[in-house]
Amino acid sequence: ETLIDLDKSFFIFLKSTKLGVWMRAVRHDRDTATTMGIPTQQIYLFTFGIGFAMAAIGGVIAAPITTVDFRTGVDILPFCFMAVIIGGLGNLPGTVAAAVLLAFLEGVISGFATPTIARIFSLVLMSSVLLIRPQGLFKGSRNERSPALLRATSCLGPSTLD
């Protein structure tokens, strides 16, 4: 429940705050964001700090459930990779949806076969997605202009070039 609330608040932060819009604009096109006056270096530092904090929160939440050692997370890394590939690179809601889909798929198949067979089915699904739709299941057209980049201009205020 805590992680779901954290995810919801992060989505709201990315969609509705000025800093979140700037983060999405820098991710989409760094040069254009810099040209528009967005402080890209500070955004990169802030984004790294948010990632570090979220990893720390995940570790604190996972520590009472499982043992923590230097190899913690190695077993989940292929699963995360598959979720990002299936959901679409750079598409956070798509990645979350793909992770839920993969968890459900592996859970159901593990009820009938070994977990290794379930992981093989996940790999086959990922390979199929790469062959059929290389940009991921939930990724839109790459030719569209970024809504974050368009909204970033309104966050900067009136243009000084007029």
Side-chain angles (χ1 to χ4, degrees), residues 81-117:
F81 175 74
M82 287 185 288
V84 168
I85 295 299
I86 292 171
L89 291 175
N91 187 351
L92 198 54
T95 300
V96 170
V100 170
L101 174 73
L102 281 174
F104 178 75
L105 176 75
E106 286 193 9
V108 168
I109 294 173
S110 293
F112 302 108
T114 64
T116 304
I117 299 295

Side-chain angles (χ1 to χ4, degrees), residues 66-98:
T66 182
T67 58
V68 178
D69 64 353
F70 68 95
R71 291 174 291 140
T72 301
V74 171
D75 55 339
I76 195 91
L77 204 55
F79 180 84
C80 295
F81 175 74
M82 287 185 288
V84 168
I85 295 299
I86 292 171
L89 291 175
N91 187 351
L92 198 54
T95 300
V96 170

